[in-house]
Amino acid sequence: MELKGKVIVVTGGAGLLGRVFCEAICVAGGSVVVADKSDASGKELVLDLASRFEGRAIFCSLDVTSDSSVEVLIETTHAKFGKIDALVNNAYPRNKNYGKVFEDVAYHDFVENVGMHVGGYFSCSKHFANYFMNQNAGNIVNLASVYGVVPPRFEIYDGTPMTMPVEYAVLKAGVIHLTKYMSRYFKGKNIRCNSISPGGIENNQPDSFIQQYNSFGNTKGLLKEQDICGTLLFLLSDASTFVNGQNILVDDGWSL
Ligand SMILES: NC(=O)c1ccc[n+]([C@@H]2O[C@H](COP(=O)([O-])OP(=O)(O)OC[C@H]3O[C@@H](n4cnc5c(N)ncnc54)[C@H](O)[C@@H]3O)[C@@H](O)[C@H]2O)c1
């Protein structure tokens, strides 16, 4: 999937999925802005990318919950590359109490975690859309989740300290609907919006969880970060010019 000449900003670009997305964008010929709250891992990633893809990767410190930080990201990207083709909303903000079972989630934590995530995706989209409107073109890809589409299978967490937090289900459903809302709102502006809903990604989960999760997959079950890249590159490329307002599940049939 060809991205030659395209400039793409990835929020949460230094994380598990983000770093693989940023590399895939460079391999496909694009330029990438790794935008992340974590300066250390973002800068380390960009050192590596810049050594292999000269002039096509920069780091920009970002807090998606801060308007001024998002504005600096847009200014920095424009100053370096002169245009922005796409925004990938991929950051994963959560507070220190995130990850509890339903009964233990406090009202404040629910509101804060949903707010930071959906609010961060909204705010980045709003600021970038303003830029895209002046440019007369833009593309937004939101990372949602299979859990924004189907309710969790709670039994797969039995015997592990893990759960699927209620905030996550709610905020990812929100991200999918935000995507559709924006897609229709930007009618006539040449700005398209789509979301990707990955299934679970391998990340040192307990064996019992892996076995239980995988039993619902068609071929593999838990995926690797690289398994999501083809769909991302498709949505960022001109091959998907008329794909708009869609949520693409990449989950090995897990949600069927
Ligand atoms: N890993 C999975 O299994 C999986 C599955 C489906 C969907 N997703 C979604 O994919 C996206 C990436 O997930 P991940 O697993 O790579 O997460 P991760 O935690 O590994 O990475 C998230 C990144 O976001 C950054 N971040 C956190 N708060 C931020 C803020 N306020 N501003 C800017 N950056 C901030 C972190 O520093 C981190 O680098 C998330 O939206 C997640 O919900 C992940």
Side-chain angles (χ1 to χ4, degrees):
M1 224 56 79
E2 177 71 40
L3 295 184
K4 201 165 178 207
K6 291 196 189 295
V7 177
I8 293 144
V9 175
V10 181
T11 74
L16 181 72
L17 282 167
R19 55 196 310 117
V20 175
F21 291 166
C22 291
E23 181 177 17
I25 288 165
C26 289
V27 169
S31 297
V32 74
V33 180
V34 179
D36 204 291
K37 203 170 181 180
S38 167
D39 283 24
S41 42
K43 284 179 179 164
E44 188 193 327
L45 173 64
V46 163
L47 262 184
D48 171 43
L49 293 177
S51 70
R52 290 186 285 146
F53 308 99
E54 208 187 329
R56 290 202 277 126
I58 62 167
F59 173 73
C60 188
S61 186
L62 170 71
D63 179 354
V64 294
T65 67
S66 153
D67 280 322
S68 58
S69 175
V70 180
E71 282 163 8
V72 169
L73 169 63
I74 292 172
E75 283 159 18
T76 307
T77 307
H78 184 81
K80 167 72 181 170
F81 296 109
K83 65 163 186 166
I84 307 172
D85 292 287
L87 164 71
V88 181
N89 276 312
N90 167 76
Y92 189 179
R94 59 262 208 200
N95 75 13
K96 64 178 178 13
N97 291 326
Y98 181 78
K100 296 189 173 176
V101 294
F102 185 84
E103 301 86 313
D104 295 341
V105 175
Y107 170 78
H108 171 78
D109 291 320
F110 181 92
V111 170
E112 187 167 60
N113 283 308
V114 172
M116 286 193 297
H117 199 111
V118 185
Y121 277 44
F122 156 72
S123 180
C124 287
S125 298
K126 183 186 80 172
H127 288 285
F128 276 77
N130 286 340
Y131 179 93
F132 290 155
M133 282 192 222
N134 286 328
Q135 191 180 242
N136 294 316
N139 185 3
I140 298 173
V141 178
N142 290 326
L143 263 293
S145 164
V146 68
Y147 291 120
V149 179
V150 295
R153 292 182 161 111
F154 290 105
E155 64 272 24
I156 67 175
Y157 301 101
D158 286 350
T160 80
M162 301 166 64
T163 187
M164 173 39 57
V166 61
E167 301 98 307
Y168 194 73
V170 170
L171 65 86
K172 286 306 191 188
V175 164
I176 292 168
H177 206 69
L178 173 68
T179 307
K180 293 178 184 175
Y181 178 104
M182 293 193 298
S183 174
R184 187 158 289 172
Y185 189 78
F186 298 136
K187 183 173 190 294
K189 305 284 188 207
N190 200 24
I191 301 171
R192 61 194 180 99
C193 310
N194 294 285
S195 57
I196 302 174
S197 284
I201 306 294
E202 261 182 53
N203 190 18
N204 298 316
Q205 291 95 340
D207 285 344
S208 67
F209 169 81
I210 295 173
Q211 277 175 21
Q212 294 176 94
Y213 184 97
N214 288 356
S215 70
F216 291 99
N218 273 9
T219 54
K220 189 173 180 182
L222 282 178
L223 301 178
K224 296 214 179 288
E225 303 88 297
Q226 289 77 5
D227 296 327
I228 314 301
C229 289
T231 305
L232 177 72
L233 297 183
F234 168 67
L235 288 175
L236 292 173
S237 78
D238 294 341
S240 62
T241 299
F242 298 105
V243 179
N244 206 339
Q246 302 304 305
N247 177 49
I248 303 182
L249 278 152
V250 186
D251 70 343
D252 189 32
W254 193 89
S255 56
L256 290 172

